[in-house]
Amino acid sequence: GEDVIASERAAALCNACDLSGKSLFVLPHTDHLVGYIIRLENAFYEHAQTYYYTEIRRVKSHKEFLNKTTHQLLFVRHQFKIAFFSELKQDTQNALKNYRTAYNLVHELRAHETNMLEIKTMAGFINYKICRLCFQHNTPLDAIAQFRKHIDLCKKKIGSAELAFEHAAWMSKQFQAFGDLFDEAIKLGLTAIQTQNPGFYYQQAAYYAQERKQLASMLCNHDSSVTYPNPDPLETQTGVLDFYGQRPWRQGILSFDLSDPEKEKMGILSLQLKEKNVLHSELIITLLSNAVAQFKKYKCPRMKSHLMVQMGEEYYYAKDYAKALKLLDYVMCDYRSEGWWTLLTSILTTALKCSYLMAQLKDYITYSLELLGRASTLKDDQKSRIEKNLIKVLMNESPDPEPDCDTAAVKASQKLWADRVSLAGSNIFTIEVQDFIPFVQCKAKFLAPSFHVDVPVQFDVYLRADCPHPIRFSKLCISFNNQDYNQYCVVEEAYQKSDILEQSSQGTMCLVPGKTRKFSFKFVAKTEDVGKKIEITSVDLILGSESGRCVILNWRGGGGDASSSQEALQAARSFKRRPKLPDNEVHWETLTIQASTMIISRVPNISVHLRHEPPALTNEMYCLIVTVQSHEETVAKDVKLTAGLKPGQDANLTQKTQVTLHGTDACDDSFPALLPDIPVGDLQPGEKLEKPIYIRCGTVGARMFLFYISYLINTVVEGKEILCRCHRDETVTIDTVFPFDVAVKFVSTKLEHLDRVFADIPFLLMTDILSASPWPVTIVTSKLQLSASMTPVDQLESYVENVVLQTGESASECFCLRCPPVTTASGVATGCYIITWKRSSPVESVPVVNTVITLPHVIVESIPLHVNADLPSFGRVRESLPVRYHLQNKTNLVQDVEVSVEPSDAFMFSGLKQIRLRILPGSQQEMLYNFYPLMAGYQQLPSLHVNLMRFPNFTNQLLRRFIPTHIFVKPQGRQADDNSIAAA
Amino acid sequence: LLCSQNYPLYIQSVPTENELKFHYTVHTSLDVVDEKISAMGKALVDQRELYLGLLYPTEDYKVYGYVTNSKVKFVMVVDSSNTALRDNEIRSMFRKLHNSYTDIMCNPFYNPGDRIHSRAFDTMVNSMMMQVC
């Protein structure tokens, strides 16, 4: 622009090239390069658009001159051209429309044998275009519909019968192309579904490829003498065809008549010969593997397996036996597990052929085994042939060739077999039968789920053959998890090589078809295995001999193969009545595998008795006498007793339970809850042994105790002497209860209940021991241990010494205490009460138990004035009764006290009726009254009223606690008291 | 044709020559049956339709499926050129099959899961096949 020189230069350049200035595009190397490029691109695009547009116009104008009757072919051509240009013009909608028209036009053409190929080729092209555009427009259903239409229209257009393989090839190609298109569309974001995915098209393509192969093998089986025609009718001068789909030897001929039949014949021959060289199998396998890949993607495992079978078969035809075998082997288990026996049999048959042709011994044997088995649906004559072959193989001979095999391949394989035969060594094959269904079934069964160590372990192995002829085996051995037993469980028979062909079914080592053979084994378990499981880890059946070939059928566990569990289930469900069989025979279906058994210790022949008196009392040394008596016939050695709390209970119990052998002294917390392995010594036959065990239970509740006696004893099993350990255990649940309940209460000196005590004023502590034990309990002694804040008023001595309490009886004690004033408002510790007791039992050695009862706290309250009365315990009518009241000032203050006495009907009295006085701190005032009872009986005293000026709370109620209110007054005495009573 | 737990209980085909191929077809169709059942499993069990419809079309055959509530599967393969068979007819054929299967199950001597050997069932299936072909 601005650069003058540059614009001049540009103008010069334009002139030189005869271009208009508009057509010059400069690409300055600046930041805006992209923009310039786009501008240039648009310009090119426009040009291209215009060009194609004019081209379309041109073709359309051509087309207008055509008429349907004479230029049918050209119609298609032009229509296709228009569509193609539209496509190039990126006008896909119009392109699609025009393609569709072209497609319809193609099918309007008169089809004849000579132009059939051309029509199909064209239709194929156009169809491809249409489908591609449909996928591009994201209308996959249209594409599929178009394709279906295309196939339906063309399916029947076989063309020349001699070249029918061409049609099949074409069909295959159509499907493959569509599959490719579909797959491509999926890669670009289309989602396919299980029932509509490219796999189906690949599969169909493969089918047609197979058909092509068949047709080709039918039509092209020329003699080798037929030579390729010369000159080559497929050659053209230019080397290329003028029109697609036409025969090279008659290009451009529109007539349906064959102008030159000789030439035509040569042409067909050359095509057929060419077809002969095509590797059909390879094509088919490629298509199949494409399909497999697709079906894998769309969750069609069975379809995948099916295709893999086909691939395998195709490999087999292509003589690539190793690959075939690999594929077939891979899918076999799917069919086996689903129970499709017919399909499995057909696969196996092919696999057997492969393995035969490759002289793969192990595979050959495996497939034979399974083909002879019950899952195989082969006819008996087939089975019999296979079995004979198998026997031959076992004898290290070559088997007969499988039927329907390629003769050349058979020749080759026979040589391979011969090589194998001459090859010494590696003739032992172990075949794991777990994963397939061999013709020998095996079930091993222990006779019991557990055996005592002093009885021989017994088990049976049942074998059953499903093959048509009896088969001999050389050895049957069973392996256990403890390999020491393996040696006991072997059945072996050395037989001569010649025996194997004899059809006798007498020998024990011979399996008769359909009959169940039972082999019983018996061995003595080792004492170390007590408590362990003996398991059959494998059952090995050896067919053939070590001199020839030897096949070891190996069942893991107690037998059973790929389908036996299903069969067992069916048998269990069945209600079918089974015919009665002779005694020694069993129904195979009814047998269940029992591959393991427990070895348990010998049944003990001793008795254990426990003698005790439940329930136990808390903290006592509870005595339990264990009596062990031997009923063995020989000496029980190394007798050990384990006694105590049974493990596995509440953890707290362990801490609150102690067990000891010595009951004389009380045990403490350090004792264990379980005494393991107390050596007791030997027990002679019939000997009885007693052992006392002492248990202390710290808390109430039920406990389980275990008493476990173990000993060693010699026994003879099957002539074998073994030393085995026996044990017997006995558990007992013992309840623990409190021996007694202790109730404590505080009462005033008047025996009135106190909820609080007053400082410095004596009160009573009453204890009440109520026996809760079902057994009599002896209280040895009791003791009051006072805390520092309590002082006894008099001597503290026990009143319940050596008292025996029966159930429900109680023993009480009473202590007079005083509590000095305290400052704290809360309770004051009283101390504790210790009861020393024991169970009153005839056994004197029972230790005593101290039970400590913590006494309750008591609230101490101070009182301003304490009044106590001094009066006789009773009065007598008309006899003076002196009463002295002591008023004690408990405060630090001088107290004004108003004292009055209210008269009572029953008394006359003398003394100060009303007075006001002062009491100094800490001192006391004495008031003396002389009461004169007037009436007998329990009489109310004249009541004393005290009023404190300073403490209005001090009421007479409070006063009543300290001083008596009533007194018993006796009637006036007579001289002869006793006599009067006697008279009365 | 009929199967449950994915192994065949009963297979019958007319014509008999290419039997193996039919077996394969039926077996492969189970893929679709499984898929359909698992898709239906999410829907209400009681109201589900037993008839599964066309399982998948191949060039030559149409495969139809039907599943009972106890997951016994019925699969029918018919020639795709046989256009006379409408969906409704297929449906009624399946219903008929189901009915006779129920009859078999009612037989106390029949053990569920065993292969079916029943003359009545045979004749029923054969008559149905005759009708179609």
Side-chain angles (χ1 to χ4, degrees):
Chain A
E2 285 80 34
D3 195 343
V4 186
I5 305 164
S7 50
E8 268 177 18
R9 268 196 188 166
L13 186 66
C14 286
N15 271 334
C17 301
D18 205 4
L19 274 174
S20 77
K22 272 186 199 163
S23 306
L24 182 70
F25 290 89
V26 186
L27 296 179
H29 195 72
T30 61
D31 292 346
H32 303 291
L33 183 60
V34 178
Y36 284 101
I37 290 173
I38 289 171
R39 244 179 71 200
L40 180 59
E41 192 189 327
N42 283 338
F44 280 138
Y45 178 72
E46 238 166 70
H47 266 278
Q49 289 274 3
T50 341
Y51 170 74
Y52 289 128
Y53 180 67
T54 47
E55 280 295 308
I56 291 169
R57 290 282 301 274
R58 203 169 59 81
V59 176
K60 271 190 181 159
S61 67
H62 274 290
K63 206 177 84 177
E64 267 153 35
F65 294 115
L66 305 175
N67 77 53
K68 284 232 169 183
T69 43
T70 50
H71 301 103
Q72 239 188 346
L73 296 174
L74 283 177
F75 256 111
V76 180
R77 181 179 172 84
H78 289 327
Q79 200 65 45
F80 183 79
K81 270 188 176 172
I82 293 170
F84 187 67
F85 285 134
S86 302
E87 197 187 349
L88 288 177
K89 220 182 117 196
Q90 300 185 351
D91 182 1
T92 49
Q93 295 294 349
N94 266 326
L96 182 59
K97 207 174 82 196
N98 285 310
Y99 277 131
R100 280 195 195 281
T101 331
Y103 186 80
N104 290 338
L105 286 171
V106 166
H107 284 290
E108 279 171 21
L109 291 179
R110 247 181 78 203
H112 190 264
E113 206 167 289
T114 49
N115 70 348
M116 191 69 86
L117 182 67
E118 191 181 354
I119 288 176
K120 280 192 299 191
T121 313
M122 283 325 290
F125 283 157
I126 299 171
N127 174 63
Y128 180 81
K129 282 289 185 188
I130 294 172
C131 294
R132 224 188 89 170
L133 286 173
C134 285
F135 277 123
Q136 222 171 9
H137 289 158
N138 203 15
T139 50
L141 291 180
D142 285 357
I144 291 166
Q146 163 63 30
F147 183 70
R148 290 237 68 85
K149 194 173 104 192
H150 172 57
I151 291 301
D152 287 343
L153 281 172
C154 299
K155 212 191 307 191
K156 297 280 145 52
K157 295 189 173 163
I158 297 164
S160 160
E162 284 152 302
L163 294 173
F165 56 83
E166 255 185 345
H167 176 68
W170 181 82
M171 288 296 275
S172 168
K173 197 77 200 162
Q174 296 303 306
F175 275 101
Q176 189 189 357
F178 188 75
D180 285 341
L181 274 178
F182 202 161
D183 193 29
E184 212 166 287
I186 287 163
K187 278 184 193 137
L188 291 173
L190 186 73
T191 44
I193 50 165
Q194 194 189 34
T195 49
Q196 193 56 258
N197 68 53
F200 285 101
Y201 298 98
Y202 286 128
Q203 186 194 14
Q204 206 58 39
Y207 280 147
Y208 277 109
Q210 278 167 342
E211 198 178 311
R212 175 188 178 183
K213 190 178 111 179
Q214 264 169 23
L215 289 169
S217 67
M218 225 153 60
L219 295 170
C220 314
N221 51 354
H222 304 283
D223 268 350
S224 48
S225 60
V226 177
T227 51
Y228 194 75
N230 200 9
D232 189 353
L234 300 184
E235 282 286 311
T236 55
Q237 279 106 6
T238 50
V240 286
L241 288 170
D242 293 348
F243 295 100
Y244 287 111
Q246 292 192 345
R247 298 296 181 199
W249 58 90
R250 47 176 166 77
Q251 288 198 75
I253 300 167
L254 292 178
S255 142
F256 293 146
D257 308 321
L258 294 174
S259 49
D260 189 348
E262 192 53 37
K263 208 172 175 186
E264 184 73 23
K265 232 165 141 184
M266 291 315 278
I268 289 173
L269 178 65
S270 61
L271 280 178
Q272 286 174 339
L273 288 175
K274 274 227 157 126
E275 180 72 13
K276 212 173 173 180
N277 296 332
V278 175
L279 294 168
H280 291 107
S281 290
E282 223 164 76
L283 288 174
I284 296 168
I285 287 163
T286 321
L287 288 170
L288 283 172
S289 66
N290 274 347
V292 167
Q294 293 294 337
F295 283 118
K296 210 174 188 172
K297 237 190 271 174
Y298 296 103
K299 285 192 264 181
C300 302
R302 295 186 187 89
M303 187 59 108
K304 198 185 105 196
S305 314
H306 175 43
L307 291 173
M308 282 171 82
V309 171
Q310 286 184 329
M311 271 172 88
E313 280 169 356
E314 209 48 57
Y315 272 123
Y316 164 71
Y317 293 128
K319 304 202 171 59
D320 191 346
Y321 303 120
K323 273 191 187 149
L325 214 52
K326 207 170 147 195
L327 278 168
L328 293 176
D329 205 43
Y330 185 80
V331 292
M332 241 179 249
C333 61
D334 292 339
Y335 287 100
R336 196 180 291 128
S337 61
E338 296 226 295
W340 284 74
W341 306 132
T342 28
L343 302 185
L344 180 64
T345 308
S346 102
I347 298 168
L348 278 169
T349 318
T350 315
L352 184 68
K353 283 179 199 164
C354 289
S355 57
Y356 169 73
L357 293 174
M358 286 196 300
Q360 282 280 12
L361 261 177
K362 189 169 176 179
D363 291 331
Y364 186 80
I365 293 165
T366 315
Y367 298 136
S368 301
L369 285 175
E370 188 154 16
L371 276 172
L372 288 174
R374 62 201 186 284
S376 151
T377 52
L378 284 184
K379 297 271 184 306
D380 268 355
D381 56 332
Q382 287 288 317
K383 282 191 175 182
S384 141
R385 186 183 59 77
I386 291 170
E387 189 179 353
K388 274 183 190 141
N389 273 338
L390 180 65
I391 292 172
K392 273 189 182 169
V393 170
L394 289 178
M395 288 170 65
N396 207 5
E397 287 170 20
S398 300
D400 291 338
E402 291 297 310
D404 314 323
C405 279
D406 190 49
T407 41
V410 168
K411 281 243 169 62
S413 73
Q414 270 163 348
K415 206 172 160 300
L416 282 176
W417 278 102
D419 289 350
R420 285 265 10 183
V421 169
S422 60
L423 203 69
S426 69
N427 270 338
I428 297 171
F429 303 96
T430 305
I431 294 169
E432 297 265 350
V433 297
Q434 221 66 40
D435 308 321
F436 67 104
I437 303 159
F439 71 92
V440 186
Q441 298 181 71
C442 162
K443 284 180 183 182
K445 184 184 183 185
F446 279 107
L447 294 191
S450 63
F451 285 96
H452 290 289
V453 72
D454 57 338
V455 243
V457 176
Q458 291 183 34
F459 70 97
D460 293 338
V461 173
Y462 297 91
L463 290 176
R464 180 189 156 110
D466 303 312
C467 52
H469 303 296
I471 188 144
R472 275 178 167 272
F473 61 93
S474 54
K475 196 172 169 187
L476 172 69
C477 51
I478 292 103
S479 319
F480 295 89
N481 54 346
N482 184 343
Q483 299 189 350
D484 294 337
Y485 302 128
N486 294 1
Q487 51 183 320
Y488 305 118
C489 304
V490 177
V491 179
E492 200 166 4
E493 190 184 58
Y495 59 86
Q496 299 301 306
K497 229 181 171 185
S498 58
D499 289 350
I500 201 159
L501 281 182
E502 279 175 24
Q503 296 285 314
S504 80
S505 53
Q506 262 72 50
T508 57
M509 310 300 283
C510 196
L511 296 175
V512 181
K515 283 250 164 65
T516 305
R517 284 274 292 130
K518 180 170 112 175
F519 296 92
S520 295
F521 297 96
K522 210 188 223 184
F523 62 87
V524 179
K526 295 196 179 317
T527 46
E528 305 94 85
D529 278 343
V530 172
K532 285 187 197 151
K533 213 175 197 176
I534 294 189
E535 225 171 319
I536 297 179
T537 50
S538 69
V539 179
D540 290 328
L541 181 73
I542 294 153
L543 300 174
S545 64
E546 264 138 52
S547 56
R549 275 202 191 92
C550 174
V551 175
I552 304 169
L553 296 185
N554 174 269
W555 281 272
R556 241 176 297 140
D561 49 44
S563 88
S564 55
S565 58
Q566 169 72 22
E567 280 161 15
L569 188 71
Q570 283 294 329
R573 273 200 218 146
S574 174
F575 296 115
K576 234 171 258 166
R577 216 168 64 91
R578 296 185 175 85
K580 241 184 141 52
L581 285 183
D583 285 344
N584 51 353
E585 282 179 50
V586 278
H587 282 286
W588 182 256
E589 297 80 36
T590 56
L591 293 173
T592 48
I593 294 170
Q594 163 100 43
S596 65
T597 190
M598 281 292 287
I599 298 301
I600 50 178
S601 56
R602 180 177 169 275
V603 181
N605 212 354
I606 54 166
S607 57
V608 176
H609 284 293
L610 301 175
R611 212 169 70 229
H612 61 127
E613 294 172 323
L617 306 177
T618 320
N619 278 331
E620 77 162 328
M621 296 301 287
Y622 184 67
C623 177
L624 207 144
I625 294 161
V626 184
T627 313
V628 181
Q629 187 169 17
S630 162
H631 305 293
E632 296 285 1
E633 278 157 16
T634 51
V635 182
K637 282 178 286 194
D638 193 18
V639 184
K640 280 179 186 160
L641 168 68
T642 298
L645 195 68
K646 192 174 178 171
Q649 299 182 77
D650 191 358
N652 294 336
L653 286 180
T654 318
Q655 283 159 21
K656 292 288 179 199
T657 311
Q658 286 85 37
V659 181
T660 176
L661 289 176
H662 312 289
T664 43
D665 33 81
C667 57
D668 56 27
D669 287 351
S670 65
F671 279 67
L674 181 74
L675 290 177
D677 291 338
I678 308 157
V680 183
D682 292 354
L683 267 181
Q684 295 301 322
E687 192 184 326
K688 204 169 175 179
L689 188 133
E690 277 195 2
K691 193 100 187 152
I693 305 280
Y694 294 91
I695 299 165
R696 194 175 84 125
C697 303
T699 51
V700 292
R703 284 169 174 75
M704 269 230 271
F705 289 93
L706 172 75
F707 298 90
Y708 176 95
I709 307 279
S710 77
Y711 61 95
L712 282 173
I713 192 139
N714 274 316
T715 46
V716 177
V717 194
E718 300 274 302
K720 220 177 123 180
E721 187 165 307
I722 55 165
L723 182 69
C724 53
R725 185 161 276 284
C726 303
H727 57 82
R728 162 154 234 140
D729 52 11
E730 200 70 37
T731 53
V732 63
T733 304
I734 298 174
D735 242 338
T736 306
V737 296
F738 283 122
F740 38 71
D741 293 323
V742 178
V744 176
K745 58 187 178 191
F746 297 100
V747 292
S748 69
T749 42
K750 284 175 71 190
L751 293 178
E752 277 171 356
H753 179 74
L754 284 180
D755 50 358
R756 54 195 61 195
V757 298
F758 298 102
D760 255 347
I761 295 159
F763 61 92
L764 296 176
L765 173 76
M766 303 253 309
T767 61
D768 198 11
I769 306 168
L770 174 68
S771 166
S773 143
W775 306 98
V777 170
T778 308
I779 308 282
V780 177
T781 182
S782 72
K783 194 173 158 204
L784 192 66
Q785 218 162 47
L786 289 176
S787 68
S789 55
M790 290 284 171
T791 48
V793 173
D794 49 6
Q795 211 78 86
L796 291 180
E797 54 188 49
S798 177
Y799 298 99
V800 291
E801 251 174 60
N802 294 320
V803 170
V804 176
L805 289 180
Q806 301 291 336
T807 313
E809 288 180 344
S810 71
S812 298
E813 279 188 282
C814 180
F815 303 98
C816 189
L817 306 176
R818 201 156 56 85
C819 182
V822 283
T823 46
T824 50
S826 62
V828 168
T830 318
C832 47
Y833 183 53
I834 302 164
I835 304 164
T836 308
W837 59 276
K838 63 175 191 180
R839 188 189 275 248
S840 346
S841 80
V843 188
E844 320 75 45
S845 63
V846 176
V848 295
V849 185
N850 283 329
T851 300
V852 178
I853 290 134
T854 308
L855 297 171
H857 284 213
V858 72
I859 297 166
V860 179
E861 219 168 62
S862 50
I863 193 170
L865 184 82
H866 181 240
V867 182
N868 64 335
D870 246 355
L871 77 168
S873 53
F874 62 90
R876 210 179 272 277
V877 176
R878 268 176 244 149
E879 262 177 40
S880 140
L881 181 74
V883 175
R884 200 184 297 267
Y885 290 107
H886 302 272
L887 284 83
Q888 257 176 309
N889 185 359
K890 296 280 187 187
T891 61
N892 298 326
L893 304 164
V894 178
Q895 293 216 43
D896 279 323
V897 183
E898 239 179 44
V899 179
S900 62
V901 176
E902 232 168 67
S904 156
D905 290 343
F907 294 95
M908 293 198 296
F909 72 94
S910 66
L912 298 165
K913 192 171 179 194
Q914 190 163 23
I915 190 174
R916 222 183 142 120
L917 50 93
R918 255 181 202 182
I919 307 171
L920 291 177
S923 70
Q924 67 171 351
Q925 184 72 44
E926 225 178 71
M927 310 271 291
L928 183 68
Y929 291 89
N930 227 340
F931 292 157
Y932 189 73
L934 299 176
M935 285 179 257
Y938 195 60
Q939 299 296 354
Q940 194 181 10
L941 288 168
S943 53
L944 181 77
H945 291 269
V946 177
N947 215 355
L948 297 186
M949 297 301 160
R950 281 175 185 275
F951 298 92
N953 286 345
F954 187 85
T955 58
N956 285 316
Q957 232 90 34
L958 204 55
L959 198 64
R960 296 277 169 270
R961 292 208 167 160
F962 310 125
I963 50 173
T965 52
H966 289 80
I967 194 163
F968 189 75
V969 179
K970 288 189 176 176
Q972 211 162 15
R974 277 190 216 153
Q975 291 312 309
D977 232 345
D978 296 335
N979 293 346
S980 68
I981 288 168
Chain B
L1 320 186
L2 197 150
C3 40
S4 108
Q5 245 177 26
N6 293 346
Y7 68 88
L9 293 176
Y10 184 88
I11 291 192
Q12 177 85 351
S13 62
V14 169
T16 43
E17 66 258 27
N18 218 342
E19 215 173 340
L20 207 61
K21 191 179 164 191
F22 286 116
H23 286 205
Y24 276 121
T25 311
V26 172
H27 185 240
T28 49
S29 70
L30 285 175
D31 282 337
V32 187
V33 173
D34 277 359
E35 193 66 21
K36 288 207 175 190
I37 290 173
S38 67
M40 269 197 311
K42 288 152 203 153
L44 280 173
V45 180
D46 333 329
Q47 305 168 5
R48 76 195 172 90
E49 171 71 50
L50 302 177
Y51 178 55
L52 297 178
L54 185 64
L55 295 178
Y56 69 92
T58 61
E59 267 321 276
D60 313 313
Y61 303 103
K62 282 182 175 148
V63 186
Y64 296 92
Y66 184 92
V67 174
T68 69
N69 281 325
S70 52
K71 300 273 184 292
V72 175
K73 291 142 197 138
F74 296 71
V75 176
M76 190 150 33
V77 183
V78 294
D79 201 320
S80 57
S81 60
N82 195 339
T83 45
L85 277 174
R86 295 275 172 76
D87 216 38
N88 261 340
E89 276 125 51
I90 300 281
R91 214 179 267 258
S92 69
M93 276 162 74
F94 271 130
R95 211 153 294 147
K96 231 163 110 187
L97 266 177
H98 194 174
N99 283 343
S100 39
Y101 176 68
T102 317
D103 289 345
I104 289 173
M105 292 301 286
C106 292
N107 178 358
F109 298 105
Y110 176 71
N111 194 8
D114 275 354
R115 254 146 247 248
I116 294 171
H117 302 285
S118 155
R119 217 178 305 134
F121 196 72
D122 277 346
T123 49
M124 200 281 304
V125 171
N126 282 332
S127 73
M128 209 154 76
M129 283 175 162
M130 285 303 133
Q131 221 176 1
V132 171
C133 297

